[in-house]
Amino acid sequence: LVRLGVHAAPELGLAAHPGLEPTLNRLWANNGDYISRQYAGTSAMKGDFTRTGRRNFGGMVNDATYSLARLWINTFRDYFSQAVLDFLVGNHAAAAVFRTLIDLRSREPDQVRQMASARETAVRTSVAIVVRDGERVQLACVVQSPMALDSLKIAAAADSVLILTDAAVYVCSYCDRQQKVSEFLRIGLSVLARVQYGAYITDTRTPQCLDPSRNHGVVLSFALAPDHHSSSPGYEFESSLAATQPFVSSADGEKLHFIACKVATEAQVVMQHTPDDAESAAQPTLKDSEQPALVRLTRLENQAPDLLTECLCSAMLSLKLAHGDPSSQFITDAPIISVAAAKQSKTLVEKMTTRLHSALWI
């Protein structure tokens, strides 16, 4: 101010302007807070001393809170922040960042690759165990399922495998630790009555969980034979998949059961048996007892879940046409669990947990 010639009394210094020093201190402290939030995730330490020139109890409490918050952020959020910064400067493509937007938990750089490798093993093992001889896999992908008939609520985020063959649809619950199929459901295409696909919102904690395009699934409705045991034609269940009272009815009044599947949103693995032409070129001497090779469909794996479910429903419709004339409402595009329905179904405890989760991540 002296150099600019606007100081009223240079010999008095800042004392000539009683409100100037507190204003500059607040400006300096606020600027430090904004910079600190960029690299540390919290406001700057000792902000009370910068603003007032002395420490107080409230400032010490704030510093303790900031220290705990920085420990949490540096442990669980640094990788996500670094991915965003790399995206802003052009080092990463948008797809690499979107993979981290499912939630804001910590993720090692190679965790997605390890998850994809484990899920590929799950798909291959499930196909080898449950698919009957002579059936060709048209599409197999990783899903999450309640693994219970007539239920939409997914209690645990365990992986399941959805397998579509030229004769049936399989839903398998896979155990990663034991590397085996713990239970499965087989629905013959002849008894598959309806397929519904649409938004499947099972979590409301983050905006990414509320995105219908990233939270998609299918509901398979089917009719039970009078004797619905594992030996019944067209329908087979093992382990805890017991039939309950159906509440879905077809157009002709037939009672239907259903099972729901939500397509995995990250580290997706999509596989199918090699086509006939590729198989004949690669393995010209393939025997009848041998199974064709499973190959990954990387183009479908990189698509959004809503596009993958559309491809899955399209394949089911084509196979259903080959087995007979399906009804006009065989494929239905409607939300399974909409955003509004998911929010209304939350209990008080879940709402409090969501608020706490949001507060920790702000």
Side-chain angles (χ1 to χ4, degrees):
L1 295 177
V2 173
R3 185 176 59 188
L4 294 176
V6 297
H7 202 293
E11 66 280 1
L12 297 178
L14 291 177
H17 303 276
L20 180 59
E21 184 175 5
T23 301
L24 292 177
N25 288 340
R26 288 194 299 270
L27 177 64
W28 183 263
N30 293 340
N31 181 65
D33 287 343
Y34 285 118
I35 295 176
S36 178
R37 289 170 187 168
Q38 291 181 2
Y39 73 84
T42 68
S43 298
M45 308 285 282
K46 299 183 179 180
D48 58 327
F49 181 79
T50 305
R51 289 180 172 85
T52 64
R54 61 180 182 273
R55 295 299 304 247
N56 54 51
F57 180 74
M60 290 186 288
V61 172
N62 288 337
D63 286 352
T65 304
Y66 296 155
S67 298
L68 293 176
R70 289 185 180 189
L71 175 63
W72 179 273
I73 291 171
N74 293 338
T75 304
F76 296 100
R77 290 189 61 181
D78 266 358
Y79 178 69
F80 172 76
S81 301
Q82 187 62 47
V84 173
L85 292 175
D86 289 338
F87 170 69
L88 292 177
V89 299
N91 293 336
H92 282 174
V97 180
F98 291 155
R99 284 197 297 265
T100 66
L101 294 181
I102 303 304
D103 52 36
L104 300 182
R105 291 174 296 181
S106 169
R107 194 172 304 284
E108 295 294 335
D110 61 342
Q111 185 173 351
V112 174
R113 183 169 60 252
Q114 294 175 357
M115 185 184 300
S117 176
R119 286 179 167 177
E120 180 179 352
T121 302
V123 173
R124 293 185 180 276
T125 303
S126 300
V127 170
I129 292 177
V130 305
V131 174
R132 295 180 178 178
D133 294 338
E135 295 184 9
R136 182 178 293 271
V137 176
Q138 304 296 323
L139 206 62
C141 62
V142 179
V143 298
Q144 293 177 355
S145 174
M147 291 308 297
L149 299 182
D150 310 326
S151 176
L152 296 177
K153 186 175 181 180
I154 300 177
D159 285 344
S160 300
V161 179
L162 176 65
I163 305 172
L164 173 64
T165 70
D166 50 9
V169 181
Y170 297 84
V171 183
C172 310
S173 177
Y174 184 79
C175 180
D176 290 323
R177 292 184 178 181
Q178 299 180 357
Q179 294 187 351
K180 70 174 186 178
V181 176
S182 57
E183 53 187 353
F184 76 93
L185 168 71
R186 182 184 186 276
I187 307 171
L189 294 178
S190 59
V191 299
L192 184 62
R194 185 188 307 166
V195 178
Q196 175 188 350
Y197 73 99
Y200 197 169
I201 309 298
T202 57
D203 193 359
T204 60
R205 291 179 297 175
T206 63
Q208 293 75 32
C209 296
L210 299 176
D211 185 359
S213 64
R214 298 185 58 82
N215 296 270
H216 234 63
V218 295
V219 173
L220 309 175
S221 302
F222 54 95
L224 289 182
D227 182 20
H228 52 270
H229 296 288
S230 60
S231 60
S232 301
Y235 170 77
E236 178 178 331
F237 69 91
E238 288 193 1
S239 187
S240 63
L241 284 178
T244 58
Q245 292 296 326
F247 61 92
V248 177
S249 298
S250 60
D252 56 0
E254 185 182 16
K255 299 296 184 178
L256 302 177
H257 286 272
F258 71 85
I259 187 167
C261 299
K262 180 180 179 181
V263 177
T265 53
E266 61 177 349
Q268 179 61 265
V269 174
V270 183
M271 307 187 75
Q272 71 171 176
H273 278 149
T274 52
D276 293 334
D277 52 353
E279 179 182 304
S280 60
Q283 299 178 352
T285 60
L286 186 66
K287 299 180 181 179
D288 294 338
S289 59
E290 296 179 356
Q291 291 291 337
L294 278 173
V295 295
R296 292 183 60 170
L297 305 178
T298 55
R299 290 186 178 181
L300 280 180
E301 293 176 357
N302 296 327
Q303 297 295 330
D306 58 342
L307 297 179
L308 180 56
T309 55
E310 290 182 6
C311 295
L312 186 62
C313 292
S314 178
M316 290 184 184
L317 179 59
S318 300
L319 293 172
K320 188 67 175 180
L321 289 172
H323 284 75
D325 187 16
S327 63
S328 58
Q329 297 182 349
F330 177 71
I331 301 293
T332 305
D333 182 4
I336 300 171
I337 299 180
S338 63
V339 175
K343 291 182 177 180
Q344 291 178 357
S345 63
K346 292 177 59 178
T347 62
L348 179 60
V349 175
E350 291 174 339
K351 291 180 180 179
M352 295 177 61
T353 304
T354 300
R355 290 181 181 179
L356 179 62
H357 179 274
S358 302
L360 289 175
W361 290 116
I362 289 179

